[in-house]
Amino acid sequence: LDGVDLSPLLAEGNADWPERALCWHYPHYPRQGSRPAGAIRLGRHKLIEHFEDGRVELFDLIADPGERRDLAREKSKLATDLRNQLHRWRKEVGAQMPTPNPDHDPDRPFRDAYWMPNKP
């Protein structure tokens, strides 16, 4: 079980917490339009790794809470370090990575593929 007791923070409001990374793993195509990706947040920085093409984005969430300025090239060492941490975390938890669908037809509308799987 991965967790931390937050009751001292709630009771005292100023408890001293060690910094730790928060990781996300989302290897799916949901109906609302997002794409498969993983992310890690450590301190003020958040790195997103896109599974389709391996591209990463790095954001400073304090200076840029709207995630509009990608810092991955400017802070390439930090981006590499965070990506490596994300990969280690995925390995530790046994996260399953997406695999190509051999039946995928890019010309077939997503709605038809999702809602009418038996439609030719």
Side-chain angles (χ1 to χ4, degrees):
L1 181 63
D2 182 17
V4 175
D5 179 6
L6 298 177
S7 58
L9 178 61
L10 298 172
E12 302 165 22
N14 62 353
D16 185 29
W17 293 100
E19 186 172 78
R20 66 178 267 198
L22 298 174
C23 299
W24 294 264
H25 183 65
Y26 198 78
H28 311 287
Y29 285 96
R31 291 186 312 196
Q32 66 265 36
S34 63
R35 304 219 182 274
I40 182 170
R41 178 177 178 173
L42 183 60
R44 64 188 294 152
H45 293 99
K46 176 181 171 186
L47 178 114
I48 302 169
E49 179 181 27
H50 300 273
F51 295 154
E52 288 179 329
D53 58 11
R55 181 175 50 91
V56 297
E57 296 175 292
L58 177 67
F59 301 101
D60 180 333
L61 298 178
I62 302 299
D64 178 21
E67 299 179 13
R68 296 176 191 259
R69 183 165 180 245
D70 179 7
L71 302 172
R73 287 185 185 192
E74 186 178 322
K75 296 186 174 198
S76 61
K77 181 176 180 346
L78 177 59
T80 298
D81 291 347
L82 288 174
R83 183 182 220 171
N84 289 339
Q85 284 185 50
L86 181 60
H87 288 198
R88 280 192 303 273
W89 173 81
R90 281 200 306 254
K91 186 174 182 178
E92 285 175 21
V93 301
Q96 292 184 338
M97 294 300 289
T99 57
N101 178 354
D103 298 325
H104 173 66
D105 179 356
D107 296 323
R108 186 174 178 185
F110 178 74
R111 179 183 158 97
D112 287 350
Y114 185 83
W115 291 106
M116 296 172 264
N118 295 324
K119 182 179 178 185

